Amino acid sequence: MNAGMAGGIDCDLHPAVPGIASLIPYLEPQWADAVAQRGVHDLEPTSYPLRAPLTSRPDWRVAGAKAGSSREQLCAQALDGFGSRAGILNCLYAITTLFSEDMAAAFARALNDWLAAEWLDKDARLRASIVVPVQSPELAAAEIERRAVDRRFVQVLLPCLADQPLGRRSLWPIYAAAARHGLPVGIHAGSTYRHPVTPVGWPSYFTEDYVNQAQGFQTQLTSLVCEGVFSKFPTLRVVLIESGFTWLPAYLWRLHKYWRGLRMEIPWVDRPPPDIVREQVRFTLQPVDTPVEGDALLRILDQAGSDELLLFSTDYPHWQFDGQYALPPLLPDSLKTKILIDNPLATYPRLKEDFA
Amino acid sequence: MNVELPARPKPESTINRPVIADCDIHPCLARPADILPYLPKRWQEHAMTYGMLPRHGYQSGPAYPKGQPDAARLDSWPPDGRPGSDLSFMQAQHLDANRVELGIMTVIAPAAGAAQNLDYSAALARALNEWQVAEWTSKDTRLKASIVVPYEDAAAAAVEIDHWAGHDAFVQVLLLSRTAEPLGQRRYWPIYEAAQRAGLPIGVHAFGYGGYPVTAGGWPSYYIEEMVGHSQCCQALLTSMVIEGVFERFPGTRMVLIEAGLAWLPSLCWRLDKHWSRLRDETPHLRRAPSNYIRDHVWLTTQPMEEPEKRKHFHDIVEWIGIDRLLFATDYPHWDFDDPLWAVPVKLDDGARQALFLDNAKALYGRR
């Protein structure tokens, strides 16, 4: 273990649903019946092909099962392995890709209840994000209301790319419910494939799909800022998860420049976008998209102008780094402490209650 | 937002202005019908009866209303016609005043390459190319043209490139960024093959309409989102060019990304390298890291230049990209015009200034 990392809070862990059958005990009877009657298949997202190198580090795979499907192994490798005091489970089972709003809502309820029973009840260090049927903002808000009473759910989880840009007004019931309960909204890499994963059409290679997630996050941040989500919900925190972050400074310079030229179009955006982002948006650490060697990362952080933006993550079991190098070694110790502990606690009020 | 500035005491002298190359100038038809004399009769009738049939909802004008009429500087309207349509007005306001020695013209409207009828697309591209020679390059030798091509029909685009190859007026092939499919895909390869044959760079200018939502998350609401989004769109098309192996297959390709900003490139290179390295068994046709291809094959025009909160950070970007890959551009006559005197947020040394403002463009666009 890297001694300098003890006590961190890992803000991006991926528990895998072993298979659709795992949810049956948690589904309401008509939906449990539907799984059998209709032969509903496994709901693993196209965004992470199960055998792709990115999807799991070789030493984090589970023999004969999906990486991330073993709670004991996840807790041993991701929490014990890095000395973390707590970890947030972001389950990527693709509930949000279903076309039926009712089915999505039912499966989201089952998935969240499965997370509570199979994971949160069994290891006190674990916390989770509420999976919501983004297909229906009303049903998504209802799921937030239902699960928010359990304070081990510390965040609302949305996919990066779905039917419409995430700032659109019709989605605001989700943000209102999250803000009401003091829950940050976490937006995780991945697509529901309603649209091509690039603005210029479907790519040929998974490599492009994954690289383009960063551009997807950029346009979603533009949408959230320009539609006025941060103005309407001034206490809301948004966490971009597995988004990469080295694009942030250059992105903000461009957005800021166009905001100065076109702010008459969006008068409710009453602060410079970089100020909004530094106040209300956070980023999980992995993947760190800079060369391992050299000072590029430090210069990017200097450009970003804040030491409060990054939240520690291993992105377990995704293969973003080798060995113990979850934290880039060249970061100054004071910044490491902020990333590991202070920033997560400041971002997630419910973590502060139990892990401060 | 337009603000009336107080009149300056006297016009700025041009004496202290350095000679420049401007790698993004937009000539424009004074009236849409002005292209008709350059079209065969069959396509004149098509143009008047059916028009462009763009892959968005309006017969004329953009899907997202611009910030101001024609997205143009309010002072760029000539006495008659639209901004960018009057050569003598452009000469006085821009070419002479800003001491433009080399001006690269990029005709983006009408967006001939985006017309859904591919035969019309080809006819309109040819007409615009003939119009550029007749009305512009033959009248001012400072101006050089870009070959407008029907890029959704790569075979026809290659014919258009071959037609103009070797012609003094044309120094690059022009595509728009929002194509029907990612630009690295093989349906577009005949374009790169033809450009390589002709020894011409491929310029890809922001805009166009391929029909897909302009973000991967769906259609945004605002023009500002479309404008900021050109950077993400060009990142996607460059990713496609690299990962599909275009630069490996057509090693003579020189690609210029026009009007999409520049500061995003280093981060994209790092991300590409990192994840290509992890997933490289998927792309055995690539022999080098993505950033290596980009370093050897890609140039960027500067406008709209990013403005860091702390100006000094601009030096980081220039260092990471390499000053030799940056081409100054104003985007005249559009509203977000970058003034050569004020646009660069930091003081560059003399060699870097000379490269950025003139020498890089002359080297790239000069005859080989």
Side-chain angles (χ1 to χ4, degrees):
Chain A
M1 195 180 88
N2 182 340
M5 290 173 57
I9 295 168
D10 192 332
C11 297
D12 191 25
L13 300 172
H14 299 299
V17 177
I20 192 84
S22 307
L23 295 186
I24 286 182
Y26 301 93
L27 283 164
E28 292 128 29
Q30 75 271 27
W31 293 108
D33 288 349
V35 169
Q37 185 181 356
R38 299 170 64 184
V40 176
H41 55 77
D42 205 10
L43 301 178
E44 283 300 329
T46 299
S47 302
Y48 295 92
L50 284 173
R51 294 175 190 276
L54 175 78
T55 303
S56 177
R57 249 170 76 156
D59 54 333
W60 289 348
R61 289 193 179 270
V62 177
K66 297 174 187 171
S69 61
S70 159
R71 189 192 70 257
E72 294 82 357
Q73 188 173 326
L74 180 146
C75 289
Q77 292 183 320
L79 296 180
D80 299 341
F82 295 90
S84 295
R85 71 177 78 175
I88 300 174
L89 302 171
N90 295 316
C91 185
L92 303 180
Y93 208 54
I95 303 302
T96 51
T97 302
L98 293 165
F99 283 100
S100 159
E101 295 179 8
D102 294 328
M103 183 183 268
F107 275 69
R109 288 192 294 272
L111 185 69
N112 291 323
D113 291 353
W114 172 82
L115 281 167
E118 306 280 343
W119 294 78
L120 305 183
D121 285 353
K122 294 181 175 172
D123 194 310
R125 295 170 296 178
L126 294 175
R127 293 295 180 266
S129 299
I130 306 173
V131 173
V132 297
V134 65
Q135 298 90 330
S136 165
E138 291 75 17
L139 294 174
E143 181 62 6
I144 295 169
E145 293 296 336
R146 190 183 77 88
R147 276 290 17 161
V149 294
D150 182 344
R151 299 190 72 82
R152 298 173 303 176
F153 284 90
V154 299
Q155 173 171 250
V156 173
L157 188 65
L158 298 178
C160 177
L161 303 170
D163 291 76
Q164 54 179 335
L166 290 174
R168 296 295 286 253
R169 309 287 161 87
S170 60
L171 295 170
W172 286 17
I174 297 174
Y175 304 127
R180 195 157 52 240
H181 291 283
L183 294 166
V185 169
I187 300 170
H188 194 284
S191 177
T192 62
Y193 296 91
R194 297 293 198 266
H195 310 290
V197 294
T198 90
V200 292
W202 297 98
S204 307
Y205 298 95
F206 174 65
T207 307
E208 294 174 78
D209 182 313
Y210 192 70
V211 168
N212 272 290
Q213 293 298 318
Q215 288 78 60
F217 275 104
Q218 291 163 45
T219 55
Q220 293 295 21
L221 192 49
T222 303
S223 175
L224 290 165
V225 169
C226 291
E227 297 273 1
V229 170
F230 299 111
S231 308
K232 178 71 177 179
F233 304 103
T235 63
L236 184 71
R237 294 290 180 276
V238 168
V239 182
L240 305 189
I241 308 173
E242 203 183 323
S243 59
F245 59 87
T246 60
W247 48 263
L248 182 68
Y251 162 82
L252 285 176
W253 300 340
R254 182 176 175 92
L255 178 62
H256 192 189
K257 178 165 178 159
Y258 275 108
W259 174 75
R260 287 197 295 256
L262 295 169
R263 56 186 292 192
M264 82 296 187
E265 193 186 20
I266 48 170
W268 44 85
V269 182
D270 53 4
R271 290 175 291 155
D275 293 355
I276 293 173
V277 168
R278 279 191 286 262
E279 190 168 322
Q280 292 183 256
V281 182
R282 297 293 178 261
F283 301 80
T284 63
L285 178 66
Q286 293 290 346
V288 180
D289 294 327
T290 52
V292 176
E293 309 295 328
D295 63 352
L297 176 59
L298 292 177
R299 289 160 78 175
I300 286 288
L301 294 175
D302 183 42
Q303 293 172 6
S306 169
D307 58 4
E308 298 180 350
L309 296 173
L310 296 180
L311 313 178
F312 176 64
S313 70
T314 57
D315 193 21
Y316 181 95
H318 297 166
W319 190 3
Q320 305 289 13
F321 60 93
D322 290 306
Q324 293 298 112
Y325 292 103
L327 269 178
L330 52 70
L331 296 178
D333 287 344
S334 58
L335 182 57
K336 285 180 179 171
T337 302
K338 295 213 66 153
I339 292 171
L340 283 164
I341 300 166
D342 300 346
N343 295 345
L345 290 177
T347 302
Y348 296 103
R350 292 180 174 200
L351 283 183
K352 200 165 187 176
E353 293 168 5
D354 295 329
F355 296 104
Chain B
M1 180 169 61
N2 292 301
V3 178
E4 292 293 334
L5 295 172
R8 294 172 198 262
K10 61 179 182 182
E12 277 179 38
S13 166
T14 60
I15 293 170
N16 292 326
R17 287 183 173 263
V19 170
I20 66 165
D22 181 354
C23 295
D24 189 26
I25 297 176
H26 295 296
C28 178
L29 299 164
R31 293 153 208 84
D34 288 355
I35 199 60
L36 294 177
Y38 297 91
L39 280 168
K41 186 161 189 332
R42 182 253 187 278
W43 294 113
Q44 289 180 14
E45 289 169 359
H46 180 94
M48 289 187 290
T49 309
Y50 299 102
M52 287 287 291
L53 298 178
R55 290 184 180 187
H56 68 71
Y58 296 111
Q59 294 184 28
S60 64
Y64 292 93
K66 306 285 186 183
Q68 40 203 19
D70 268 20
R73 284 168 43 169
L74 291 185
D75 64 353
S76 71
W77 288 77
D80 183 34
R82 295 164 59 192
S85 66
D86 181 324
L87 175 60
S88 62
F89 190 90
M90 181 191 287
Q91 286 168 332
Q93 185 173 49
H94 180 45
L95 302 180
D96 298 340
N98 289 316
R99 302 189 72 197
V100 177
E101 177 182 305
L102 171 63
I104 307 298
M105 300 196 302
T106 47
V107 177
I108 60 170
Q116 288 195 63
N117 181 319
L118 294 181
D119 293 321
Y120 180 55
S121 178
L124 186 56
R126 175 63 58 86
L128 286 168
N129 292 329
E130 291 183 348
W131 169 78
Q132 290 188 82
V133 174
E135 302 288 340
W136 298 88
T137 60
S138 66
K139 295 178 177 175
D140 190 322
T141 56
R142 291 172 292 185
L143 293 173
K144 294 294 179 185
S146 304
I147 305 174
V148 176
V149 296
Y151 47 75
E152 301 300 354
D153 178 353
V159 168
E160 193 63 20
I161 294 166
D162 289 342
H163 179 80
W164 297 104
H167 192 296
D168 269 353
F170 291 94
V171 296
Q172 90 181 332
V173 174
L174 183 66
L175 314 178
L176 295 186
S177 61
R178 293 192 304 219
T179 44
E181 303 298 339
L183 265 177
Q185 297 201 349
R186 62 192 63 187
R187 61 180 284 183
Y188 300 108
W189 291 358
I191 298 174
Y192 309 128
E193 195 170 19
Q196 181 175 270
R197 191 160 61 234
L200 293 172
I202 304 265
V204 184
H205 191 289
F207 291 94
Y209 22 85
Y212 289 120
V214 300
T215 87
W219 294 102
S221 303
Y222 305 110
Y223 174 56
I224 184 175
E225 293 180 83
E226 182 192 31
M227 291 301 283
V228 175
H230 282 304
S231 138
Q232 288 80 41
C233 181
C234 284
Q235 292 176 62
L237 79 86
L238 182 56
T239 297
S240 171
M241 295 284 286
V242 171
I243 298 297
E244 294 272 0
V246 170
F247 303 119
E248 186 67 49
R249 299 171 208 275
F250 306 103
T253 300
R254 292 173 292 154
M255 184 175 177
V256 188
L257 294 173
I258 306 170
E259 204 181 326
L262 55 103
W264 47 265
L265 186 64
S267 171
L268 178 68
C269 285
W270 300 329
R271 184 169 174 89
L272 274 166
D273 282 1
K274 175 172 173 128
H275 300 292
W276 162 80
S277 170
R278 181 72 71 230
L279 299 167
R280 61 186 299 179
D281 62 340
E282 193 191 24
T283 52
H285 51 277
L286 298 181
R287 295 191 303 167
R288 296 191 286 153
S291 64
N292 283 327
Y293 292 112
I294 290 171
R295 188 69 182 80
D296 286 352
H297 294 276
V298 175
W299 284 253
L300 306 106
T301 65
T302 53
Q303 182 280 338
M305 190 138 14
E306 283 90 348
E307 296 174 13
E309 294 175 275
K310 290 181 180 166
R311 289 163 180 255
K312 65 175 183 176
H313 287 139
F314 196 80
H315 288 298
D316 292 338
I317 302 301
V318 171
E319 179 189 327
W320 286 330
I321 295 175
I323 190 73
D324 60 318
R325 286 307 194 254
L326 299 177
L327 307 165
F328 181 75
T330 67
D331 193 29
Y332 181 88
H334 291 152
W335 70 276
D336 42 354
F337 173 89
D338 272 352
D339 187 313
L341 272 194
W342 306 110
V344 182
V346 294
K347 183 168 171 52
L348 299 171
D349 66 47
D350 290 347
R353 283 192 63 83
Q354 178 74 11
L356 173 69
F357 280 97
L358 188 61
D359 290 353
N360 293 344
K362 288 171 78 171
L364 179 69
Y365 292 119
R367 286 283 156 205
R368 305 205 143 191

